[in-house]
């Protein structure tokens, strides 16, 4: 259960993964000052002791959700992290968004759900051989439509209701998602770099949101936590 989940965060491992590298000094968000430990080559360094403390709080929250069978939507639309986000979400049995965030995914969920249902219906019809009655050109158009819908909706195809929380790997890139989550009362867990306002999220993970190694480390810890909480 969630209470028994062992959270093992190691500052040395985080340093190795580059979690501590922030942005250039000129890009500092004033509210991130408390999480900065110094400057190296004109780049702010994140205080990993503080990251470990905040990340532990986020993981405890994630563990409690997972133990109750609640849903966390993984959101990471940066090209370099898409595959990592998809893989971690699938391993945890959680929905994900790795393509562009579709405005209204939270605030207009009913409409989005209808599009998802339409996509699944088209897929089922194709599998059942119902496209055979159409001309070659019509079949081609239907296949293209399925491919386009798949890109948009594959990650949320089984999300029948709004999630209890959303994990955002880059707040700046997916600010629309954060704003929609806030409007709908969905808790936000977010990786917050030195150029981001930390008050945008409910559970922050102060860290590098650019390096693949940093995101990989964070996702691995989240995945471990979810899987051990579900047991």
């Amino acid at each position: 259960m969630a209470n028994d989940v062992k959270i093992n965060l190691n500052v040395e491992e985080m340093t190795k993964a580059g979690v501590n590298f922030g942005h250039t000094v000129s890009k500092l968000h004033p509210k991130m000052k408390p999480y900065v430990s110094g400057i190296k080559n004109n780049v702010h360094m994140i205080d990993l002791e503080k990251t470990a403390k905040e990340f532990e709080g986020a993981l405890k929250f994630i563990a409690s959700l997972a133990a109750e069978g609640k849903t966390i939507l993984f959101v990471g639309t940066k090209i370099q992290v898409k595959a990592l986000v998809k893989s971690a979400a699938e391993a945890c049995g959680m929905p994900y968004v790795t393509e562009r965030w579709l405005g209204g995914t939270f605030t207009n969920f009913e409409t989005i759900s209808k599009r998802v249902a339409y996509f699944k219906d088209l897929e089922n019809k194709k599998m059942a051989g119902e496209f055979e009655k159409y001309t070659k050109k019509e079949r081609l158009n239907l296949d293209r439509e399925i491919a386009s819908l798949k890109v948009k909706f594959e990650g949320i195809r089984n999300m029948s209701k709004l999630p209890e929380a959303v994990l955002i790997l880059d707040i700046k890139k997916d600010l629309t998602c954060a704003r929609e989550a806030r409007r709908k009362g969905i808790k936000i867990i977010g990786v917050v770099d030195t150029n981001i306002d930390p008050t945008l999220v409910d559970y922050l993970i102060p860290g590098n949101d650019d390096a693949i190694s940093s995101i990989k480390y964070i996702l691995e810890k989240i995945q471990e936590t979810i899987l051990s909480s579900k047991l």
Side-chain angles (χ1 to χ4, degrees):
M1 292 307 289
N3 297 341
D4 307 327
V5 171
K6 285 185 172 60
I7 292 166
N8 178 22
L9 296 174
N10 181 315
V11 169
E12 213 172 290
E13 277 180 18
M14 282 195 249
T15 307
K16 219 169 163 184
V19 178
N20 56 327
F21 287 96
H23 280 272
T24 52
V25 174
S26 60
K27 289 185 176 175
L28 179 71
H29 192 286
K31 288 183 182 169
M32 276 304 284
K33 263 187 192 164
Y35 299 100
V36 168
S37 62
I39 297 166
K40 191 176 179 182
N41 301 331
N42 206 37
V43 168
H44 274 125
M45 291 288 124
I46 296 163
D47 185 336
L48 291 180
E49 293 290 347
K50 288 186 176 170
T51 296
K53 189 168 177 276
E54 294 287 355
F55 195 7
E56 186 171 340
L59 289 173
K60 282 181 177 167
F61 173 62
I62 288 166
S64 67
L65 288 179
E68 290 170 20
K70 299 280 198 317
T71 302
I72 301 165
L73 175 67
F74 285 46
V75 178
T77 59
K78 258 190 192 157
I79 289 169
Q80 66 266 38
V81 303
K82 283 181 184 184
L84 287 175
V85 175
K86 180 177 188 273
S87 165
E90 285 178 343
C92 297
M94 294 294 180
Y96 61 87
V97 170
T98 55
E99 296 306 315
R100 189 176 63 83
W101 176 262
L102 292 175
T105 298
F106 288 158
T107 50
N108 202 0
F109 186 67
E110 205 177 312
T111 303
I112 294 285
S113 296
K114 281 177 185 162
R115 294 295 293 155
V116 173
Y118 172 66
F119 157 55
K120 285 157 88 169
D121 185 50
L122 276 185
E123 272 195 334
N124 291 336
K125 281 178 175 165
K126 184 183 177 174
M127 282 170 74
E130 289 183 38
F131 287 3
E132 298 307 314
K133 60 189 176 193
Y134 297 113
T135 65
K136 194 176 176 184
K137 192 183 175 191
E138 285 170 332
R139 286 204 302 272
L140 191 65
N141 286 337
L142 284 165
D143 283 342
R144 278 186 188 141
E145 189 174 9
I146 288 175
S148 166
L149 291 167
K150 192 180 175 83
V151 166
K152 290 177 185 167
F153 302 122
E154 181 64 25
I156 59 166
R157 64 182 299 143
N158 299 319
M159 196 171 81
S160 55
K161 61 182 182 61
L162 285 173
E164 278 72 26
V166 58
L167 166 69
I168 306 177
L169 281 313
D170 184 335
I171 300 292
K172 196 172 187 186
K173 190 159 191 320
D174 290 305
L175 191 57
T176 313
C177 167
R179 286 184 175 144
E180 287 193 26
R182 179 72 72 230
R183 275 178 65 186
K184 300 303 285 184
I186 296 164
K187 292 291 182 195
I188 304 167
I189 306 149
V191 178
V192 179
D193 212 323
T194 56
N195 63 331
I196 305 290
D197 178 357
T199 62
L200 289 167
V201 309
D202 300 291
Y203 295 90
L204 75 148
I205 304 162
N208 183 343
D209 64 9
D210 287 313
I212 294 176
S213 55
S214 173
I215 295 299
K216 188 168 186 276
Y217 174 84
I218 290 165
L219 282 171
E220 278 171 1
K221 291 296 170 191
I222 289 169
Q223 186 176 319
E224 276 171 26
T225 302
I226 291 175
L227 295 178
S228 51
S229 304
K230 280 180 162 183
L231 297 175

